[in-house]
């Protein structure tokens, strides 16, 4: 069994709950972790086919940005014209779409900026290879390359994990989607949990179309709508339903709750950010009264 979710916190919670239910003598334990944790596991065990050493370094965003800055210096490029953070972001998006620096180098002649980004990216790849390092995007990209180019390795992991569970499926990017699809391809035992109405990570490459295409990818799949909400009042849900119903590409849902009542929704249009902050402070003061604790308050923004 392979169970993948998006945050370390969620993965740890799942491990804790499942280990409390499993009998230790049941043999191999399920693999529970994030997509990046899965990537680390696979590349440490099978990455040598892609010349990735078992003991590779994982770069965080700051490490990665530092290398981009050095690459600009080595290529004598102006960091004001080619801002390192912006270049890092473009490269990350390209990696999430499973592109390579070669794709940018092959851009049309008039695409001077993209070609230059391709050169910076190429220098970045050379540097990380020398340092035996991978960034977070590589942990997904390299696994896809491994599975697509080495069928025997893919088969090894297909035989290892007969049942694939993916949480927050609407937040998968192209690479994560392909890893799940390739692993589940032989036995078709895949269970995905997600909500196309809650896809908010497009800025980091998530594609909500992945969940909308689930039935097309797996025509024998059974769809189980979970429409009861345990957190919000019906007032909130009615408003949410009205807003999200305008989306053309979505699974139809009708959210409901057993919670009755709830405050009506109102809108405050502030003239500027100071008026907005003052309004929030006054509302908190009004709700808490004299004896309320500020620690009981949260502001979402």
């Amino acid at each position: 069994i392979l169970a993948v979710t998006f945050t370390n916190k969620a993965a740890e919670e799942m491990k804790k709950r499942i280990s409390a239910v499993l009998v230790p003598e049941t043999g191999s334990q399920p693999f529970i972790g994030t997509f990046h944790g899965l990537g680390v596991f696979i590349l440490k065990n099978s990455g040598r086919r892609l010349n990735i050493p078992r003991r590779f370094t994982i770069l965080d965003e700051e490490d990665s940005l530092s290398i981009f800055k050095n690459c600009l210096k080595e290529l004598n490029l102006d960091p004001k014209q080619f801002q390192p953070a912006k270049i890092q972001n473009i490269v990350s998006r390209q990696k999430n779409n499973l592109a390579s620096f070669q794709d940018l180098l092959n851009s049309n002649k008039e695409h001077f900026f993209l070609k230059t980004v391709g050169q910076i990216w190429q220098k970045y790849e050379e540097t990380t290879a020398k340092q035996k390092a991978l960034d977070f995007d590589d942990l997904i990209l390299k696994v896809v390359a491994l599975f697509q180019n080495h069928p025997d390795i893919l088969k090894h992991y297909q035989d290892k994990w007969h049942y694939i569970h993916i949480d927050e499926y609407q937040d998968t990017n192209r690479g994560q989607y392909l890893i799940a699809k390739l692993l589940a391809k032989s036995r078709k035992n895949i269970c995905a949990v997600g909500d196309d109405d809650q896809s908010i990570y497009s800025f980091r490459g998530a594609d909500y179309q992945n969940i909308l295409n689930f039935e097309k990818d797996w025509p024998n799949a059974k769809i189980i709508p979970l429409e009861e909400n345990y957190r919000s009042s019906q007032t909130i849900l009615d408003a949410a339903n009205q807003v999200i119903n305008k989306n053309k590409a979505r699974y139809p849902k009708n959210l409901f709750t057993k919670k009755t009542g709830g405050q009506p929704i109102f809108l405050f249009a502030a003239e500027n950010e100071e008026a907005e902050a003052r309004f929030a402070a006054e509302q908190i003061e009004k709700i808490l009264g004299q004896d309320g604790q500020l620690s009981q308050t949260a502001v979402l923004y």
Side-chain angles (χ1 to χ4, degrees):
I1 293 172
L2 168 69
V4 184
T5 186
F6 269 81
T7 66
N8 288 321
K9 189 177 178 185
E12 287 307 314
E13 181 64 25
M14 284 164 67
K15 279 181 194 171
K16 199 165 76 180
R17 292 190 194 187
I18 288 169
S19 61
V21 177
L22 285 179
V23 181
E25 296 84 47
T26 50
S28 65
Q29 297 293 300
F31 184 101
I32 303 166
T34 63
F35 269 107
H36 293 99
L38 176 65
V40 171
F41 177 81
I42 291 170
L43 293 174
K44 277 192 172 179
N45 287 288
S46 310
R48 283 176 294 289
R49 290 281 191 94
L50 297 179
N51 296 318
I52 297 168
R54 187 173 174 82
R55 295 179 180 277
F56 58 82
T57 306
I58 300 172
L59 303 169
D60 63 21
E61 282 192 35
E62 282 301 312
D63 299 327
S64 170
L65 186 60
S66 177
I67 294 172
F68 274 111
K69 287 175 182 173
N70 289 334
C71 292
L72 287 169
K73 278 183 197 166
E74 288 181 39
L75 293 168
N76 294 316
L77 292 168
D78 181 1
K80 287 179 183 167
Q81 187 181 4
F82 297 96
Q83 297 166 11
K86 187 177 179 182
I87 303 299
Q88 182 186 37
N89 192 33
I90 293 169
V91 169
S92 178
R93 276 184 163 274
Q94 291 292 322
K95 284 185 175 185
N96 282 329
N97 289 325
L98 305 181
S100 71
F101 62 79
Q102 203 62 52
D103 297 317
L104 296 190
L105 293 175
N106 293 338
S107 302
N108 296 334
K109 284 180 184 174
E110 60 268 23
H111 285 245
F112 166 74
F113 182 79
L114 283 182
K115 275 185 171 297
T116 309
V117 172
Q119 290 166 1
I120 299 165
W121 184 0
Q122 184 174 16
K123 177 65 76 176
Y124 174 84
E125 292 295 324
E126 289 166 5
T127 306
T128 53
K130 277 181 199 162
Q131 293 183 2
K132 298 178 180 174
L134 300 177
D135 61 31
F136 286 130
D137 297 319
D138 290 328
L139 298 176
I140 305 300
L141 186 70
K142 302 287 187 190
V143 172
V144 174
L146 193 63
F147 284 174
Q148 288 180 330
N149 298 317
H150 300 281
D152 58 319
I153 289 179
L154 172 60
K155 186 175 185 309
H156 167 76
Y157 290 103
Q158 285 174 337
D159 290 343
K160 181 176 179 62
W161 295 310
H162 294 194
Y163 300 90
I164 315 294
H165 298 263
I166 311 292
D167 189 23
E168 302 289 7
Y169 198 76
Q170 77 280 354
D171 290 330
T172 53
N173 61 31
R174 176 84 186 141
Q176 293 160 339
Y177 160 80
L178 274 176
I179 289 171
K181 192 176 180 185
L182 288 166
L183 284 171
K185 194 177 174 184
S186 65
R187 290 179 175 81
K188 299 179 175 57
N189 292 329
I190 182 167
C191 173
V193 180
D195 183 355
D196 53 312
D197 292 342
Q198 292 192 52
S199 182
I200 59 171
Y201 288 112
S202 58
F203 68 89
R204 69 177 187 200
D207 185 357
Y208 74 95
Q209 293 288 346
N210 291 342
I211 195 166
L212 293 178
N213 290 332
F214 192 83
E215 283 179 282
K216 205 185 294 177
D217 291 335
W218 312 101
N220 295 325
K222 184 177 180 182
I223 307 297
I224 303 168
L226 304 173
E227 295 176 316
E228 184 172 359
N229 184 295
Y230 299 93
R231 293 176 183 167
S232 305
S233 68
Q234 193 63 48
T235 308
I236 298 289
L237 297 182
D238 289 343
N241 278 330
Q242 287 300 313
V243 172
I244 207 71
N245 276 340
K246 306 290 186 289
N247 279 14
K248 288 178 182 149
R250 65 185 289 265
Y251 281 111
K253 300 176 208 67
N254 185 33
L255 302 179
F256 70 92
T257 182
K258 287 175 184 162
K259 282 189 177 182
T260 53
Q263 294 292 313
I265 296 167
F266 70 94
L267 174 72
F268 173 73
E271 287 179 27
N272 53 42
E273 65 271 30
E274 284 184 16
E276 183 181 45
R278 194 176 302 109
F279 165 77
E282 285 168 359
Q283 287 297 308
I284 290 167
E285 215 167 28
K286 196 197 293 184
I287 293 163
L288 290 177
Q290 288 184 332
D291 302 324
Q293 296 293 312
L294 282 174
S295 59
Q296 296 174 325
T297 310
V299 180
L300 303 181
Y301 66 98

